[in-house]
Amino acid sequence: MNFVEELRWRGMLHDIMPGTEDILNKGMVSGYIGFDPTADSLHVGSLAQIMSLIHFQRAGHKPFALIGGATGMVGDPSGKSAERNLLSEDTLQHNLQGIKSQLERFLDFDSGANSAQMVNNYDWFKDFTFLNFIRDVGKHITVNYMMAKDSVKNRINGDTGMSFTEFTYQLVQGYDFYYLWKNHNCVLQMGGSDQWGNIVTGTELIRRKDAGEAYALTTQLIKKADGTKFGKTEGGNIWLDAEKTSPYKFYQFWLNTSDEDAKSYIRIFTLFEKEIIESLEAEQDAAPHTRVLQKALAKDITIRVHGEAEYEKAIKSSEFLFGNIGIEFLNELNDAEVLGLFEGVPNFTIKLSDLQAGLNVVDLLASHTAVFPSKGEAKKMIQGGGTAINKVKIASADDSYSVDALINGKYLVAQKGKKNYFLIIAE
């Protein structure tokens, strides 16, 4: 199966310029995708493009990952309703290093002729003067051509308008394609479907400036079946950086995918063969409650992004909250991981000194914290056997807790019933 066929059956292909598939079938092709360095980490929204490069390389072609050190200073107007804040050079350099280290997990940079290569467009733009740019690049593309692009028309006709900075973005990205075509024999640019206008500006510049041939391919923008934006939660983006999104939260994001979305995501975000995916789908259809698609999807992506050990820890974290793993599991986690595990769970801070001589459990849960709204309610539920500290049922309202009960010398985990958790932090 060739590259384009791979994208088609996975439901990833959106647009393809005539002749692209023919050139890909003739031999090894160099192609690239650009990544936006507006943060020091990519997020799951970037994974579709990363997967495109992975499939491209697996099909025997040479992938280039372009990091937009220069274009990040401008900001792509495609799909945006307002102009973005411009980033400083120091911030961009920091972001570039973070993104580079992430891309190195997915692409093979040491595989011979089709080794992946990373480039930064700041390298060829830093000494490119404005006058030289408008003379050598701008004269080849008419304003009429640029105005016809949807990304430009939508902004110009909107409430905010468009600055000259953003208007020139398609020329800057077009020159990226020209530079890589000229210096690295890159004849294909890929990207999300919202990039089609910018990409074909590059093919047009190559044609008009040097009478060259270049090609374009775009993939579907990923959306949820319910129409909401993919990769966003109430807490914001799902990042690939473990410090921004814990591996546990990352795993849960995929595990909580709807059945309908899981059927498309497992094609897009894993490397499973067609037969394996169809087998998993049949198993899911026969017994939807088993959620085999979600489990296979979450496992595969978590391991590829964070590694086997973090996946195992994410499984244990799930079992801790929803299963039978004991409180001692928290001793395996650092502070950030504990707080990540209990993200969204009500938490309270108490003074460490309050526990030195021992603190009555009712006072702990109703006075020093608000686990219960009143001492009376705390006593009633304790007597009914429905309250626990550190996963051990509280035997009596007369029980007390001291620093010896703290997990990692800092935490107490309270429960009302089986699923209502509260994190108490002693400082």
Side-chain angles (χ1 to χ4, degrees), residues 24-88:
L24 287 166
N25 290 336
K26 288 179 181 177
M28 187 180 75
V29 166
S30 293
Y32 84 98
I33 293 177
F35 293 90
D36 189 354
T38 49
D40 59 2
S41 170
L42 298 172
H43 50 76
V44 294
S46 312
L47 275 176
Q49 299 312 316
I50 294 173
M51 295 306 298
S52 294
L53 287 181
I54 292 172
H55 290 304
F56 190 67
Q57 186 170 40
R58 281 162 58 97
H61 303 297
K62 183 176 179 65
F64 281 75
L66 182 147
I67 310 297
T71 40
M73 293 182 173
V74 179
D76 183 4
S78 301
K80 308 292 190 304
S81 60
E83 187 163 353
R84 297 184 312 193
N85 293 327
L86 305 185
L87 302 178
S88 70

Side-chain angles (χ1 to χ4, degrees), residues 183-361:
N183 295 279
H184 294 283
N185 195 32
C186 250
V187 299
L188 174 65
Q189 184 182 169
M190 298 166 280
S193 59
D194 60 339
Q195 291 297 309
W196 182 259
N198 291 335
I199 294 173
V200 297
T201 296
T203 65
E204 190 68 8
L205 180 62
I206 290 166
R207 184 184 70 81
R208 295 186 184 187
K209 187 169 169 59
D210 277 14
E213 289 187 355
Y215 302 90
L217 181 153
T218 58
T219 52
Q220 303 278 357
L221 291 182
I222 311 302
K223 293 182 180 179
K224 292 182 181 180
D226 62 8
T228 58
K229 190 169 183 178
F230 168 75
K232 290 277 190 179
T233 67
E234 291 182 4
N237 284 322
I238 301 297
W239 300 95
L240 306 190
D241 186 333
E243 292 186 8
K244 292 179 180 291
T245 299
S246 70
Y248 166 73
K249 185 177 177 183
F250 185 86
Y251 173 78
Q252 287 293 321
F253 169 79
W254 298 102
L255 191 66
N256 292 327
T257 300
S258 71
D259 290 349
E260 190 173 354
D261 285 332
K263 288 183 177 181
S264 61
Y265 293 173
I266 201 161
R267 283 169 158 73
I268 296 168
F269 297 111
T270 76
L271 296 174
F272 296 153
E273 299 295 335
K274 190 174 183 179
E275 294 76 14
I276 293 174
I277 289 176
E278 289 175 347
S279 175
L280 287 169
E281 287 175 339
E283 191 176 344
Q284 176 102 337
D285 289 340
H289 65 281
T290 61
R291 298 176 66 79
V292 293
L293 279 178
Q294 285 91 336
K295 290 175 182 176
L297 173 70
K299 178 180 180 179
D300 182 75
I301 300 179
T302 303
I303 288 175
R304 279 191 291 118
V305 173
H306 294 296
E308 186 90 33
E310 291 298 336
Y311 162 73
E312 294 294 343
K313 196 180 287 185
I315 292 291
K316 286 184 178 179
S317 296
S318 297
E319 291 176 351
F320 173 81
L321 291 175
F322 306 111
N324 298 315
I325 286 187
I327 198 71
E328 63 278 358
F329 168 67
L330 293 189
N331 291 316
E332 301 176 23
L333 307 183
N334 59 37
D335 282 348
E337 289 171 332
V338 171
L339 295 175
L341 175 60
F342 288 99
E343 185 177 353
V345 169
N347 64 80
F348 306 100
T349 301
I350 63 173
K351 294 179 180 178
L352 190 63
S353 57
D354 290 339
L355 293 171
Q356 293 293 347
L359 184 62
N360 173 262
V361 68

